[in-house]
Amino acid sequence: MIELRELTRLYGDTVAVDRLSFRVDAGETLVLVGDSGCGKTTTLKMINRLVEPSSGQILVDGDDVTSVPGHLLRRRIGYAFQAVGLFPHMTVSENVGVTPRLLGWERERIEERVDALLRRVELEPADYRGRWPHELSGGQQQRVGIARALAAEPELLLLDEPFGALDPLTRDRLQRWFQGLRRELSLTVVFVTHDMVEALLIGDRIAVLRAGRLVQVGRPAELLRAPADDRVAELLATPRRQSEVFERLLAREPT
Amino acid sequence: MSEQLALLPGLLTAHLQLALVALALGTLLSVPTGVLVTRRRSLEPGILGVASVLQTIPSLALLAIMVPLLAALGGFTASAFGVELRSIGYLPAIIALTLYSVLPILRNTVTGIEGVDPALSEAARGVGMTDGERLRRVELPLAAPVIVAGVRTAAVWVVGTATLSTPVGAPSLGNYIFSGLQTRNTTAVLVGCAAAALLALFLDQTIRLLESGAAARSRRRWGAAAAVLLALYAYTGASFVAGRASAGARPVVRIGAKSFTEQYILSEMLALQLRRRTGGPAEIVPSLGSTVAFDALRAGDLDVYVDYSGTIFATIMKRTDPFVSREAVLEQVLRFLADEHGIESAGALGFQNTYALGMRADRAAQLGVKTISDLTGAAGTLEIGGDYEFFQRVEWKALEERYGLAFAAQRSMDPALMYEAVRAGDVDVISAFSTDGRIAAYDLVLLEDDRGVIPPYDALVLTGPALEERAPGARAALGALEGAIDEATMQRLNMAVDAEGRSPESVARAFLDGLP
């Protein structure tokens, strides 16, 4: 369970995140959506303290995140982002096992964990364990990135547009795969995206941010039924509009 | 040739020691400093600025400046902590070479770390690394090829610059080059240059293998390169320890030689005399800078070398007043050395090597010049060449003033080249040394100092305070050479090396063997 209280981040005179408060329940996936520069990534990075807030408080399972050093906090929280950032000088298994190594796990336990995770992300360990990151496709890299984020058995996962740079087919496949994964592991997830289709597909609840402020948060159906304002309504309408365009295009083609 | 090659293993090992130790220290100094710069950006202009300025100091000057600096520092550490520092030899060379290696390694460390993809730094923090873990596990391994490329650049510079360690008393392949140039031994110069170039090339290629192995993450490739480097370090380390052990067993008398032919011959002669009469070991530290030798004798880093009364009188005592007589100068110099520096003379060898203005005989006859006074009127149309120090010396100032000399041009040049220049007519007058063998060989005449401006230059065997302790009976052995060499003999010995191509060692041995 995560709770943000009056979280604020300033960059000079610019307010990136403005008195933001919301909760994420255990086992829930909350998706942060909004335009570029709305503060969603900054908010995510404040949860694992890659960015320190200017004011406000974050509680994870009731404890203030500042009660432990940042690097120890981050070993307990999985984190993956669009650029993936696999270490090019480490093999796939070394990348996945990096946080367990930092935690001082025994070698056998790390090896077992890495193999289990590779199977989990559908990469056959025998084939992929020893490969280098540059030998993987974009989708494979991101799956290894997510495996790395999950390696130390975190209960909380932070994902920043993890599928944003992938081709549509791969993205679609990974989105559906991720749905299964997070349910099986009953993960608590905060997920940043600007793709409304992805938000609706993945989110238990969706939080809409604008200029650093929370405009509305609720279940997808609630947002569709009672949008806070016209722009939220318009944002939620984009998937439907796209599918209508798609339907019209299909209808025009002779079958 | 074979005589030169016999020296190669020793000098190559010494050269390798200098280069490898300086490189290791330079790397140990520069990589952490580079890391610091990437962490505290405000330090970057200051630190990189200092490193760049160090690089702009001419390498020979950087080496030479270490000698007086260390002598001053050594005086302080000796009185404050009882620690003696040697102001000549390995220490000044290593310090200067280390400083010289800093810039490329430092710059590449900064560039390498800054070049790491920001996404990887974010990932490193995201997976829970501390700043130190991020540095060790991600940034340094990824920057390694760039850092190693910096070490490679530094290696080539250091191997080249290490040849300049010879004048500060650290043996190196520069011994070949310095003595070869002075004694007109082209073979020695070529052997020195070729060996230094091959060594630089070898290190360059080995480190290149390390670099490409690190870049390609080929453990086999960088492992092979690392093994070669480790073997080199082990070899130089072992030879250093072995050298120490044998040196520790018996005190060695150290004999200095400045960088001209006469000094090479005399140092060989003194060494031979000591070995024969005392039975103890004696080694020669050749091609020292003029004041480096004096400072080293004073500091106890040398035990013996030959200097000239006029040089001490003018350069060390800084006397500019007219001198009374040869005997008076000698007496004043000896008293000054004993009182001020605890330096004794084991005797005057019997000849003077004075500064003298020399001209080609045909040119002098054509202009009707016999004395320096005769030169006064003609000087305006003539060019004069002098060795590096001549135009800075008080003797030159005195000549200019007392004779009213104003040459059309004055050129500083290497003493060896100076004689060639006057022979070829590129300059008209040179600051010759009166014992130089080339005066006769090139048919030069020395102009008479008719106003007695140039002080006498009696060759004195100067001995340091620790000589008798290191080699009992040494002073008596050296004293036996008092008055043994007159001017004509010294000219003949110099000529045997300069014109006939014999080695200083064989000339010195033949002379000693001929003594009664």
Side-chain angles (χ1 to χ4, degrees):
Chain A
M1 196 269 295
I2 312 171
E3 186 174 357
L4 277 61
R5 289 182 182 165
E6 295 284 308
L7 199 65
T8 299
R9 172 70 205 199
L10 306 172
Y11 287 105
D13 292 335
T14 315
V15 185
V17 175
D18 191 4
R19 287 163 290 157
L20 196 64
S21 300
F22 61 77
R23 286 166 56 112
V24 187
D25 292 323
E28 184 188 35
T29 294
L30 179 83
V31 179
L32 300 178
V33 296
D35 304 330
S36 301
C38 72
K40 52 192 194 296
T41 291
T42 306
T43 302
L44 190 80
K45 287 184 176 177
M46 282 193 282
I47 296 173
N48 68 357
R49 293 179 61 198
L50 285 174
V51 173
E52 297 287 351
S54 303
S55 66
Q57 200 183 19
I58 300 169
L59 303 176
V60 173
D61 293 332
D63 297 325
D64 192 314
V65 293
T66 57
S67 63
V68 290
H71 65 275
L72 295 182
L73 176 78
R74 287 188 281 275
R75 290 175 192 178
R76 292 194 333 226
I77 300 178
Y79 176 68
F81 58 120
Q82 183 177 338
V84 191
L86 293 184
F87 303 121
H89 59 303
M90 297 183 191
T91 60
V92 165
S93 74
E94 285 167 341
N95 264 284
V96 174
V98 69
T99 306
R101 275 206 307 283
L102 294 173
L103 288 166
W105 288 17
E106 280 173 25
R107 231 182 72 179
E108 282 169 25
R109 185 178 167 203
I110 296 176
E111 279 172 13
E112 278 171 27
R113 178 71 182 154
V114 168
D115 284 359
L117 279 166
L118 287 178
R119 264 180 235 114
R120 181 106 252 167
V121 300
E122 294 167 7
L123 296 170
E124 180 47 46
D127 281 353
Y128 286 92
R129 215 187 274 128
R131 291 210 196 178
W132 298 101
H134 69 86
E135 296 171 328
L136 304 179
S137 70
Q140 289 170 336
Q141 287 188 16
Q142 192 52 280
R143 278 186 276 162
V144 173
I146 290 172
R148 181 172 70 181
L150 293 172
E153 300 173 343
E155 289 170 4
L156 173 57
L157 192 58
L158 306 178
L159 299 174
D160 189 355
E161 301 197 35
F163 310 133
L166 302 177
D167 68 86
L169 276 178
T170 310
R171 189 189 315 154
D172 183 52
R173 202 156 51 81
L174 283 193
Q175 282 166 343
R176 278 181 286 123
W177 163 80
F178 179 71
Q179 280 300 80
L181 181 82
R182 66 130 180 148
R183 292 221 168 85
E184 271 175 66
L185 301 177
S186 52
L187 294 165
T188 307
V189 180
V190 181
F191 193 111
V192 166
T193 184
H194 59 252
D195 175 352
M196 277 313 295
V197 177
E198 188 170 68
L200 291 169
L201 183 71
I202 283 175
D204 293 319
R205 285 192 302 146
I206 295 172
V208 183
L209 271 60
R210 192 181 303 143
R213 292 202 176 168
L214 183 64
V215 181
Q216 189 173 13
V217 57
R219 306 186 70 76
E222 290 168 9
L223 265 62
L224 282 166
R225 196 168 55 242
D229 58 22
D230 289 350
R231 285 173 65 188
V232 174
E234 204 183 336
L235 195 63
L236 286 157
T238 46
R240 181 174 291 160
R241 212 166 43 236
Q242 282 167 357
S243 84
E244 282 167 6
V245 170
F246 180 67
E247 293 293 340
R248 273 204 304 279
L249 273 174
L250 273 185
R252 225 188 289 160
E253 293 291 320
T255 46
Chain B
M1 186 74 185
S2 63
E3 191 178 73
Q4 297 302 330
L5 289 179
L7 298 171
L8 191 58
L11 292 179
L12 193 60
T13 302
H15 199 95
L16 200 58
Q17 265 175 13
L18 285 172
L20 289 180
V21 171
L23 266 185
L25 291 177
T27 306
L28 288 178
L29 181 69
S30 309
V31 172
T33 309
V35 169
L36 185 70
V37 166
T38 62
R39 294 299 186 261
R40 301 243 182 292
R41 300 320 307 257
S42 56
L43 296 175
E44 179 167 345
I47 290 180
L48 282 180
V50 169
S52 304
V53 167
L54 280 175
Q55 209 67 56
T56 62
I57 300 176
S59 35
L60 185 57
L62 188 64
L63 279 152
I65 197 95
M66 286 300 149
V67 175
L69 279 182
L70 279 175
L73 187 67
F76 168 74
T77 57
S79 61
F81 313 110
V83 177
E84 304 263 354
L85 289 181
R86 291 202 44 180
S87 64
I88 65 160
Y90 277 108
L91 197 57
I94 291 286
I95 294 175
L97 293 175
T98 299
L99 291 178
Y100 218 60
S101 73
V102 164
L103 185 66
I105 306 178
L106 178 64
R107 208 166 39 196
N108 280 34
T109 303
V110 174
T111 310
I113 291 179
E114 281 177 351
V116 172
D117 183 353
L120 298 178
S121 297
E122 182 177 333
R125 296 183 65 209
V127 298
M129 291 186 190
T130 61
D131 283 352
E133 287 164 343
R134 175 160 54 105
L135 182 69
R136 286 194 306 278
R137 292 169 185 251
V138 178
E139 290 174 327
L140 283 180
L142 291 175
V146 182
I147 297 174
V148 173
V151 175
R152 189 176 149 209
T153 306
V156 175
W157 288 5
V158 164
V159 168
T161 310
T163 54
L164 302 175
S165 308
T166 297
V168 298
S172 73
L173 292 170
N175 284 27
Y176 279 121
I177 299 168
F178 280 90
S179 66
L181 280 176
Q182 293 309 321
T183 59
R184 308 205 307 137
N185 186 333
T186 318
T187 310
V189 175
L190 288 179
V191 169
C193 290
L198 286 174
L199 182 60
L201 203 63
F202 175 70
L203 281 182
D204 180 66
Q205 289 304 308
T206 307
I207 301 175
R208 197 179 71 94
L209 197 65
L210 194 67
E211 181 188 331
S212 73
R217 294 178 237 300
S218 156
R219 206 158 289 191
R220 231 179 55 203
R221 220 184 300 169
W222 71 253
V228 171
L229 287 175
L230 277 177
L232 284 181
Y233 271 100
Y235 166 69
T236 55
S239 62
F240 180 77
V241 170
R244 268 301 165 93
S246 69
R250 223 160 158 200
V252 176
V253 174
R254 297 162 65 90
I255 299 164
K258 301 192 203 183
S259 55
F260 50 92
T261 303
E262 180 171 302
Q263 289 272 328
Y264 298 126
I265 298 171
L266 292 176
S267 62
E268 293 287 359
M269 195 184 290
L270 298 180
L272 209 54
Q273 176 81 350
L274 281 177
R275 286 188 205 116
R276 285 179 177 177
R277 297 286 181 97
T278 69
E283 70 176 33
I284 293 168
V285 187
S287 306
L288 294 171
S290 179
T291 55
V292 168
F294 183 80
D295 288 340
L297 185 72
R298 209 176 43 170
D301 295 333
L302 281 182
D303 299 303
V304 184
Y305 84 102
V306 173
D307 214 330
Y308 307 90
S309 58
T311 298
I312 307 283
F313 190 73
T315 313
I316 312 283
M317 296 166 72
K318 310 235 182 270
R319 294 279 294 266
T320 53
D321 49 313
F323 59 93
V324 180
S325 67
R326 180 174 175 180
E327 290 72 27
V329 168
L330 188 57
E331 194 207 311
Q332 286 171 25
V333 164
L334 292 179
R335 189 159 358 103
F336 166 81
L337 289 176
D339 293 352
E340 304 281 324
H341 299 296
I343 293 172
E344 304 276 336
S345 165
L349 291 171
F351 70 94
Q352 290 195 59
N353 181 5
T354 76
Y355 269 115
L357 298 188
M359 296 182 78
R360 233 163 61 184
D362 55 343
R363 186 96 171 104
Q366 178 197 340
L367 291 167
V369 174
K370 287 202 171 74
T371 65
I372 302 181
S373 293
D374 295 339
L375 206 54
T376 311
T381 62
L382 302 177
E383 293 193 13
I384 182 170
D387 65 64
Y388 298 124
E389 38 183 302
F390 182 67
F391 296 115
Q392 309 297 324
R393 291 179 67 117
V394 293
E395 294 93 325
W396 168 241
K397 304 242 157 44
L399 280 173
E400 269 186 313
E401 277 173 28
R402 301 273 291 283
Y403 289 102
L405 292 175
F407 285 95
Q410 61 187 50
R411 304 187 190 286
S412 288
M413 52 184 81
D414 191 89
L417 304 179
M418 185 172 77
Y419 292 96
E420 304 297 335
V422 74
R423 179 197 209 181
D426 295 334
V427 296
D428 306 290
V429 183
I430 58 167
S431 68
F433 299 104
S434 61
T435 53
D436 201 289
R438 285 165 289 197
I439 291 167
Y442 293 178
D443 199 16
L444 306 180
V445 291
L446 301 180
L447 306 183
E448 188 195 335
D449 177 18
D450 50 325
R451 294 186 190 167
V453 170
I454 299 177
Y457 286 85
D458 270 299
L460 304 171
V461 179
L462 300 184
T463 61
L467 175 64
E468 271 300 305
E469 199 181 304
R470 287 192 188 147
R475 283 183 52 80
L478 296 173
L481 294 173
E482 183 161 14
I485 310 173
D486 60 17
E487 254 122 275
T489 307
M490 195 66 237
Q491 274 191 10
R492 185 169 52 73
L493 300 182
N494 283 333
M495 184 119 132
V497 173
D498 284 338
E500 295 159 26
R502 293 172 58 194
S503 77
E505 198 269 339
S506 71
V507 170
R509 182 181 300 275
F511 173 80
L512 279 186
D513 289 344
L515 284 184

